[in-house]
Each structure stands twice: as structure tokens, then as C-alpha cells.
Amino acid sequence: MDYKKKISEAIGSPLVTADDIMTAAEGHGDYALPCFKYARQLRKSPQAIAEDFAAGLGGCDFIERTEVAGGYLNFYLERKAFVRGVMAEDPGRPQLRSSGAGKTACIDYSSINIAKPFHIGHLMSTAIGGSLYRIYKYLGWNVVGINHLGDWGTQFGKLLAAYEEWGDKTKKLTLGDMLDLYVRFTEESERDPALAERGRTEFLRIERGDPDAVRTYEMFKATTLEEVNKVYARLGIEFDSYNGEAFYNDKMQPIIDELEAKGLTEVSDGALVVRLDDYGMPPCLIRRSDGASLYATRDLAAAQYRADTYKFDKCLYVVATQQNLHFRQLFKVLELMGREWAKNLVHVQFGMVSYEGKPLSTRKGHVVFLADVIENTVQKAREIIEEKNPDLPNKDAVAESVGVGAVMFFALGTQRIKDVDFDYDRVLSFDGETAPYLQYTHARCMSVLAKAENRAEGEPDPALLTDDDAYAVVRLLSVFGDVVLDAAEKYEPSVIARYLIDLARSYNRFYIAGRIITDDDALTRARLALTSAVARTIKTGLRLLLTEAPDRM
Ligand code: ARG
């Protein structure tokens, strides 16, 4: 049921397409057509154009009335027909779900660094990328989730030296041990130049493929992944590839050769660079004077590899705003190399996370482990449930859904470019703009449905859902598809989050305004049908935000 298309066809002007029709703002009907952009061509004021369009709509049966206001033409739909259309919609939404068919999106997200803590700063990339992964899949895209591991660099030589020097080889190493070793190495090598040198030679051993060195390096990698995989499992995060920086060791030379052959490089202080002055950027470093490759070199090779392997229509990099320059340089260099697909690379950036008012630092100071944050939130959720609903079955499972959901919604509920502060009370509030509020509304729907079990059967009469409170809910239900498409187009899961809050508020208003279950069978049936559609939509929407919706809580 595509009203935008229906309205544009009814207007019958070649200038007006379905895309021009927008969902109306509160109090301005159901849909609206801004007429400003036709003014020049039609040589009339937007107001006059709106009036002309309105006059031509006389015999249109699905529009109850129109209204011209400030250059807009507002449409009030015939409510009964509208409700019937929305309620009859296939809950599987086949059209929406095949909109991305045949297209491939690569999503580079989480992309953790080996032997470094998985701290709350990684939460944003993990949650935003994980959510976009589900959103694009939902829309029928072929999606490739990539964890571009930070698994190469001289720090591994240092870690190896430290491990050989002080590591306890009798027991299994943990991520915490690796951190301690690394910190100790950094401190002691400042005083001891021989140790610093040792770090360099150990890295050479890894680079040259010395079996012992490589075995230990692989052990660092496996240990890190084992720990972060526990977090991923808890959050329902998946990857299709863990090809990280090391994977590109043997794939950079052709790129460097091509850059040189195309005359794009210059030698500066012994290093190989691509100058980007013409584009207002500092040079992109390709090879250091000691011959070592760089983060950017690996990303050039990675982009090429992804283009060749996955033939993507889009490649998203979900990485903090701090790396903005890196990605602008990367995309520009690929463009200069003549890669036509460079225009399909997108840096999906996000702001900074602080924790209970304090900034985060990966250095010794203020590291907040993501696993702890999740665990604490789940514990607190458990306490709240214990207090609110002590007889609830499955308390642990519900607390897990609520706690994880609260953390996910924290990361996904706000426009990603904004800085956010994590605060337990706020993310767990049951009546704020939070996952628990949405989960609670969903559970409310499910409990109403469970109570009324046998009274929901049969076609609901759409005429019984045209009062303002019910109709507001129906209108929101009708735009779910648009919302998901918009979220995908803007790489912005918060669009779905905002929508779900609006839907839940609107449903709760309807719920409070009148009883759902009454003596009147027809009315009960209609209200139950609406309740069930709301429950389904909240559950689907929350899934796209990496959050489960338990039936009871
Ligand atoms: N490992 C990097 C970091 O934590 C992020 C990598 C992002 N992806 C990429 N292809 N550069 O800073």
C-alpha cells in the first residue's frame, strides 16, 4: 500500500513523483506535498500551485480532504480505507524485504586491535555496525561483515619480547596479562635501550615468519579473539570475515607499484607519499623511510581486495570521527587511481563516548571494559525486575535481554555523530527513551493478547480504528518500511530508535485512553489486531537494534 505513489498519480502532474510526497508533521494531515520547487517552472506561487493541485483532486476517493497551507498541500486520507490498507498489509513485508536484492554491502565494523582491551569506546562501532548489518540484511542486501583486525605493527614485537622476558608460560595468557606485559615493556624500555632494540628484532622475527615467533603471535591473536567473541556472542554480533591488517601483508605491492606508475607518488624525507595539497589535505603516507607499510597502505589493499572479492555496491567503514582524515585521504587516493567504485566507500562516523561523566582513555588511566559494562547493566536490570516483578519466570533471561538492550539502545538511540555519556540509571530507565521502555511496551501488548486469547479471531473492522488515538498508531505503523529504508540510506540506526519510541508512546496513549478488551466483540477484535501489529513492529524494530523483546517482563 503505497500512498505516496497513489497520491502522486492522483495529482497527475508529470512534475510530481512519489518521492516528493512526505509524511506529514503532526497536525497537518497524513501526507504533505511541498510545492516550492515547482514555482519556477510553473511560473506561479507555491500557494497557487497547491491550490491547483487540490482542485484537480476532486473525485479521489481515498482522500477525504485537502488543505493548502504556506506552500504545502496537505492530504487527509479517508481513514477507513487507510486503516484497512495498513491492517491488511503482509506482516512479512515481502516488498520491503527484497528492496536490496542483488546488491552487496561490505560493513567494516568493531575492527578491534589485538592484545588491546575491548573497551567501551569500541561499543559504538560494534553496535552501529552490527545494527546496520541487520538492517541491510533485513532489506534483502547481501551483507559482508568484516572485522578488520588491528593485528600488525611493531607493538607485537614489543609484546613478544615482554612475553619471552617475563611471561608465565605455565598458564594460559589472558588479555589482562597482555596489557600488563605491554605496559611493563613500555616503562622498562624507556630506561633500557637494549630492551627497546629487542622489541624491534622480535618484530622482524614475526615479519620473517620465524615459526616460534609466529606461534606466539598467533596465540596473542587467538587469546584476544576468544575474549572478544564472548562479548560478540552476548550482543548477537556476527562477522563474515576477520581479515585484518596482517592479511594484507602480501597484497600491498601491486598498489604501491600502480601508484608509482601513475605518477601519483613523491619521495619526501625518504618516505613514499601521495600529495593531496590540491584537495586541502596533508600527504597520505604510503611507505615509511625504513620501508615499513602503514595503516593507510593496508586500507588501500583492503579496499581493492573487497572490491575484487565481494564486488560491493557499498563499503561502509564504521569508525570514530577521529579517523575522518584517514578515510578522506584513503577515498581520495583510490579516486586518483581511477577506481570508479571509490564513490561507494562511506565513512560512517560517530562521536565520542564518555562514562559516567568522565572521558575514556585507552592509556593506563581510565579503561572501562565493555564486558564489565554489559555485566553490570544486566545485574542492575536483574535487581529492577526482582523489585517490580518478583514472580516473573525466566528472570535471568529477561534481565539479559533488558541489560543488553539498554546498552545497545544507548549506542544506537542517539544520532551517531553526537557525543554520548553512559549512565546506568539513564539507560535502564523504564519510562525514558530507552530499550527497557520499548521492551516494556512490547510485553504490555503481549500480555493483553495473552489475556484475550480467543477474541482476536477474524477480520477487524477498520471503521473501529479511526478515532484519533487508534488512528495515530495506525499512521505510525504505515511508515515502518520508510523508516527502515531511511535508516539504511543515512546509515543511522537512531532513525529506527526514534520511530519505535514514537510508536510506543502513541500505543500507550491509545492503551490508556480506552480499554482494549471490552464486552463488544468487534471493538475488542479491532483493538487486539492493532495491539498485535504494534507488538510485531516493536519486536522487529528492536531486533534491528540488536535487542530482544521478551514476551513478559
Ligand atoms: N583497528 C582500528 C582502530 O581501532 C580501526 C580499523 C577500522 N577499519 C579500517 N579498515 N581502517 O583504530
Side-chain angles (χ1 to χ4, degrees):
M1 191 213 24
D2 190 347
Y3 274 100
K4 294 187 177 176
K5 193 152 156 256
K6 276 176 87 168
I7 294 173
S8 63
E9 282 168 4
I11 290 173
S13 158
L15 296 179
V16 180
T17 69
D19 288 338
D20 297 338
I21 314 285
M22 33 181 255
T23 307
E26 187 87 44
H28 297 277
D30 298 302
Y31 290 96
L33 174 66
C35 296
F36 309 97
K37 71 169 189 183
Y38 317 116
R40 179 179 296 238
Q41 215 169 336
L42 296 176
R43 297 167 185 275
K44 277 189 188 173
S45 71
Q47 185 80 2
I49 295 168
E51 275 158 13
D52 285 353
F53 285 159
L57 280 168
C60 191
D61 62 352
F62 66 93
I63 297 173
E64 197 193 70
R65 64 187 177 93
T66 54
E67 167 189 89
V68 175
Y72 284 85
L73 177 55
N74 298 333
F75 305 91
Y76 291 79
L77 299 182
E78 207 291 295
R79 287 191 175 186
K80 242 187 292 177
F82 182 79
V83 172
R84 183 178 299 116
V86 176
M87 297 307 287
E89 223 171 353
D90 184 339
R93 302 179 173 100
Q95 223 190 341
L96 179 65
R97 307 211 51 181
S98 59
S99 61
K103 289 189 277 189
T104 296
C106 289
I107 309 183
D108 177 327
Y109 67 108
S110 197
S111 299
I112 51 140
N113 299 320
I114 297 300
K116 294 260 180 72
F118 193 19
H119 59 87
I120 188 179
H122 294 117
L123 171 62
M124 300 306 273
S125 174
T126 307
I128 295 168
S131 173
L132 290 174
Y133 186 88
R134 287 199 185 173
I135 292 170
Y136 275 87
K137 272 220 159 145
Y138 182 82
L139 294 173
W141 287 65
N142 170 38
V143 191
V144 187
I146 304 172
N147 199 331
H148 185 80
L149 300 177
D151 55 2
W152 200 251
T154 46
Q155 73 270 28
F156 294 103
K158 298 180 192 170
L159 183 60
L160 182 57
Y163 178 69
E164 285 177 346
E165 197 66 28
W166 311 301
D168 179 353
K169 298 173 195 66
T170 61
K171 66 176 196 27
K172 198 169 153 23
L173 196 73
T174 66
L175 203 46
D177 296 337
M178 283 190 256
L179 264 185
D180 292 343
L181 286 170
Y182 192 76
V183 170
R184 181 162 172 196
F185 184 93
T186 316
E187 280 167 8
E188 298 203 12
S189 63
E190 266 166 33
R191 274 166 290 171
D192 179 358
L195 191 61
E197 184 50 34
R198 188 66 205 287
R200 279 187 283 277
T201 51
E202 293 296 341
F203 183 60
L204 277 178
R205 276 178 69 213
I206 302 176
E207 258 190 321
R208 295 198 183 116
D210 172 287
D212 282 335
V214 169
R215 203 174 311 117
T216 311
Y217 160 80
E218 290 296 344
M219 186 267 288
F220 295 152
K221 211 163 146 170
T223 306
T224 310
L225 284 176
E226 212 175 287
E227 291 203 21
V228 297
N229 276 333
K230 285 186 209 146
V231 178
Y232 291 146
R234 220 168 163 181
L235 302 180
I237 296 284
E238 311 168 58
F239 297 98
D240 303 287
S241 162
Y242 285 86
N243 287 336
E245 297 190 32
F247 179 76
Y248 298 101
N249 274 336
D250 60 356
K251 297 175 181 63
M252 289 174 280
Q253 200 52 49
I255 299 273
I256 299 175
D257 293 344
E258 184 182 334
L259 282 170
E260 292 191 300
K262 289 190 166 154
L264 292 166
T265 53
E266 229 172 73
V267 177
S268 159
D269 288 335
L272 194 67
V273 304
V274 177
R275 284 203 159 279
L276 297 170
D277 311 49
D278 290 351
Y279 311 98
M281 289 185 261
C284 179
L285 214 51
I286 302 294
R287 194 173 56 214
R288 268 191 347 214
S289 54
D290 64 3
S293 63
L294 290 114
Y295 182 54
T297 332
R298 287 164 200 280
D299 258 330
L300 287 169
Q304 182 66 51
Y305 178 84
R306 291 172 193 175
D308 294 341
T309 311
Y310 308 116
K311 311 202 167 25
F312 58 74
D313 297 275
K314 265 177 199 301
C315 179
L316 314 184
Y317 297 86
V318 187
V319 186
T321 299
Q322 280 112 311
Q323 293 193 29
N324 182 297
L325 176 62
H326 165 74
F327 286 106
R328 279 173 43 229
Q329 290 179 315
L330 178 69
F331 300 169
K332 183 52 84 181
V333 172
L334 287 163
E335 187 192 314
L336 293 174
M337 289 175 82
R339 296 301 187 268
E340 169 282 314
W341 44 260
K343 63 180 190 321
N344 302 327
L345 305 170
V346 187
H347 178 201
V348 178
Q349 45 191 307
F350 53 83
M352 299 226 286
V353 184
S354 54
Y355 178 77
E356 308 217 289
K358 283 180 242 100
L360 293 174
S361 143
T362 38
R363 267 164 276 122
K364 287 155 266 181
H366 196 67
V367 185
V368 184
F369 293 94
L370 182 54
D372 295 341
V373 172
I374 296 170
E375 186 54 34
N376 292 342
T377 313
V378 169
Q379 282 317 320
K380 287 179 200 279
R382 170 86 211 221
E383 285 160 26
I384 296 172
I385 291 164
E386 201 64 65
E387 191 189 300
K388 284 194 191 251
N389 194 355
D391 302 326
L392 184 75
N394 291 327
K395 272 185 272 196
D396 286 332
V398 175
E400 178 75 18
S401 304
V402 172
V404 168
V407 177
M408 291 298 98
F409 203 85
F410 159 75
L412 300 171
T414 311
Q415 248 183 54
R416 60 183 156 75
I417 205 69
K418 296 197 174 145
D419 294 348
V420 280
D421 179 58
F422 188 90
D423 175 290
Y424 287 103
D425 291 335
R426 193 153 5 102
V427 303
L428 277 168
S429 153
F430 273 49
D431 45 24
E433 298 181 356
T434 61
Y437 172 68
L438 296 174
Q439 290 167 317
Y440 182 74
T441 306
H442 171 265
R444 167 179 269 178
C445 293
M446 295 312 282
S447 114
V448 172
L449 292 168
K451 250 185 251 154
E453 245 178 316
N454 45 15
R455 302 200 44 202
E457 251 135 73
E459 278 292 305
D461 176 359
L464 299 173
L465 296 172
T466 50
D467 63 283
D468 286 351
D469 288 318
Y471 189 67
V473 178
V474 174
R475 267 194 57 190
L476 279 167
L477 287 174
S478 78
V479 298
F480 176 77
D482 291 344
V483 167
V484 179
L485 288 168
D486 193 36
E489 213 166 282
K490 295 186 175 134
Y491 318 112
E492 187 70 86
S494 69
V495 168
I496 296 175
R498 300 262 13 119
Y499 164 80
L500 292 177
I501 296 286
D502 288 346
L503 177 63
R505 287 218 175 108
S506 175
Y507 177 78
N508 285 323
R509 219 172 290 136
F510 162 74
Y511 176 91
I512 290 160
R515 302 229 310 275
I516 309 265
I517 304 169
T518 65
D519 292 341
D520 181 338
D521 275 342
L523 192 60
T524 305
R525 193 185 309 134
R527 293 184 172 174
L528 286 173
L530 189 59
T531 300
S532 152
V534 168
R536 213 166 38 229
T537 304
I538 294 181
K539 191 173 184 112
T540 305
L542 280 177
R543 260 204 72 71
L544 298 177
L545 303 177
L546 303 163
T547 297
E548 300 297 322
D551 286 353
R552 296 183 58 184
M553 65 184 266

